[in-house]
Each structure stands twice: as C-alpha cells, then as structure tokens.
Amino acid sequence: MARVVGERVKKGILERLNSGEVVIGDGSFVFTLEKRGYVKAGLWTPEASVEYPEAVRQLHMEYLRAGSNVMQTFTFFGGKDKLESKWKDVNEASCDLAREVAEKGNALVAGGISQTSLYKSHKNKLEIKEIFQQQLEIFTRKNVDFLIAEYFEYCEEAVWAVEVLKESGKPVATTMCIGPEGDMHNLTPGECAIRLVKAGASIVGVNCRFGPTISLATVKLMKEGLEASGLKAHLMVQSLGFHTPDCGKGGFVDLPQYPFGLEPRVATRWDIQKYAREAYNLGVRYIGGCCGFEPYHIRAIAEELAPERGFLPDASEKHDSWGSGLSMHTKPWVRARAQKEYWKNLLPASGRPYFPSLSKPDGLRMPEK
Ligand SMILES: [Zn+2]
C-alpha cells in the first residue's frame, strides 16, 4: 500500500469526520517527556515547550511520522492556575511548535485545555472560565484549527470549558477522564455526553485514566446515551497505553504502580491494533491515545485502519505488516514468527514469575484537599 507523499489540501476536523474519514490523534506527552527527562512527575506541567523546545518538537515529529492527523498543543495543565507567570509564554510556544510540525504533513493543530486545580476546592465558575478564556485567547491569536477540552473528571467543569471554547466559532472536542461508573458526581457517561453535546461540543469521548478496553466500554455508554436522547456527535477515544482491568472508579492514578512502576502494563502494538479495530467497529472515528501511548502505538492504529484509510503512515517504511519483516531473520524459529496469526494470538510473558498480574487500587477515594 502506498504511503502519502507530497502536499495535500487540508480539510478541517469536522469536514473529515462528517465525510466518514478516520482521524488519528496523537499519544502521550507529559508521561513520555517525563521518561525522557523534560517533565516533572506530580506537577505534569508543559514548561518544556519553552525550556526544551527541541524535545517537544521531536515528539510531535514522531507522532506525525507514525500517522497522527492532529498535533495537539502541549498545553496540558497549562492554565495560569498551574503555571502562574509562565502560562503565556508556554502556551504561545506550544502553539508555534504544534503548527510548525503540522505544516510538515496532513495534520491539524488542536488547542488543548484541561481540568483546573480550582474546581475541586471552590468551584468558582467565573475564575475557572477565566483560565480557559486566557488560553483560548492565545489559541485564537495563533489560529489553531480546532479545540480540545480534555481530562475532565467533573462534567460540570467540562461543560464550562465547552461554553468558553465554543465562543471562538471553532469546532470543539471534549473528552472526560472517566470510566463506565461515570464522573465524580456520579453522572453516567451517557448523561455526561448529552450535557457536553448540548453545551456545544461536536466531538465527545474519553481520554486517559483507563486502558483500551475500559475506555471503549465508556465511549459505548456515551454513544448509547446520545442515541437514546436523539443527539448526534462524533465519538473520540484517547486511551492509556497501559492495561488497567483492576482499576477502580478513579482509574490508573489509584493503582499502587502509578506513575513509576507501570511498565509491565504497557500495551503491545498488537493490543493497540485490536483497540483501533474495536473503536472503528463501535463507530468511533477519532482514535488516539493518552499517557503511555507511544509513537509506535499510533503507528499501530494507522496500520490496522490502513485498509479503510487507503494508505500507510511514513513510519511503516520501517515496519512491515504483522511482523512480516522477520522473514529476513537468520534463525528459522524467528522467521516462523513472520505472520499475523502468531502475533495476533501471542500471550506476552511479563518475565516476573513472582509478581501478581493484577493489584488492588489504593484505599478508598479520599478527599483531595
Ligand atoms: Zn493521560
């Protein structure tokens, strides 16, 4: 299958989704850049766009090469509540980096905002909306293509985000970091989706906190909620790159291994091909990843859905489908692995014989102040 070469005319996000195209999102930023030494765990803030722009640019480049159609500005936890005096410079630099890389391929720039640190303590609507408004002012000036409000655990705060973002006239996507049990006020995923669409979101779904299987189960509930109420929206999923079947309502942050011991849970590229196929079959057309989701996982989405999309990403130049490149290996038993059935049915071993495969989430959910 041919790879895309040369310039294409860029269609907007809704034009793509309305015509039935699959849009591939990007993957992990704070988690991946923490491992590479550019982000501090705990804070999870995006100062690297100013301090180490080459590190942020390189990660965008890797996602673009892997097949991402969206360069999301590295502005997670990028509001004034988190970054204080640095917020403006960081947001501007992040927009410039995303645009610079998006222009090298068929990708759009999405300005991203996320939950504030204020909602849990005092729910001052005006103050919270002002933080979103400040970031939106920069996204508008930098002319991003659309907007993403992500990682909201309270539907009410996500609705406030949508209310601010839609004022720009640009398409708004919103994802919550919730599982099938719903938001932290016990609103069901279906009810959350309904409120977000009514507020003005064109694309809704989930990101972060849960692995592929649970994330898709939650999006399915959102879809059913929308259908039951006669509302229409595009569906989006950006799961963790980790398996989390043992999570409670709070997701992976409550697992004892969060955030420094999650490696044994990393999804294989084959797990992610399965995720991409299941998302597609569910009707989700915006498919990407969040924490732990690396460029090779994004490539796996692009490869699984290449028959539907009609092309492979640039990074497939170095990756033959379903391990077929192994047919060039010198050892016959490794050559025997150069086939789809082998990798599709593989049961990965952890290499840790005395370790449990699952664990108990820590304690009960405690008040966060
Ligand atoms: Zn995440």
Side-chain angles (χ1 to χ4, degrees), residues 208 240 290-291:
C208 208
L240 294 177
C290 201
C291 303

CSV table of all heavy atoms in Angstrom, one decimal, residues 208 240 290-291, ligand 1:
chain,number,residue,atom,x,y,z
A,208,CYS,N,-7.4,9.3,28.7
A,208,CYS,CA,-6.6,9.0,29.9
A,208,CYS,C,-7.3,8.1,31.0
A,208,CYS,O,-8.3,7.5,30.7
A,208,CYS,CB,-6.2,10.3,30.6
A,208,CYS,SG,-4.6,10.2,31.5
A,240,LEU,N,-5.3,5.2,27.7
A,240,LEU,CA,-4.0,5.0,28.1
A,240,LEU,C,-3.3,3.9,27.3
A,240,LEU,O,-4.0,3.1,26.7
A,240,LEU,CB,-4.0,4.4,29.6
A,240,LEU,CG,-4.5,5.3,30.7
A,240,LEU,CD1,-4.5,4.5,32.0
A,240,LEU,CD2,-3.7,6.6,30.8
A,290,CYS,N,-3.4,8.4,25.1
A,290,CYS,CA,-3.0,9.4,26.2
A,290,CYS,C,-1.8,8.8,26.8
A,290,CYS,O,-0.9,8.2,26.2
A,290,CYS,CB,-4.2,9.7,27.1
A,290,CYS,SG,-4.0,11.2,28.0
A,291,CYS,N,-1.7,9.0,28.1
A,291,CYS,CA,-0.4,8.6,28.9
A,291,CYS,C,0.0,7.1,28.5
A,291,CYS,O,-0.8,6.2,28.5
A,291,CYS,CB,-0.6,8.7,30.4
A,291,CYS,SG,-1.1,10.4,30.8
B,1,ZN,ZN,-3.2,10.8,30.1
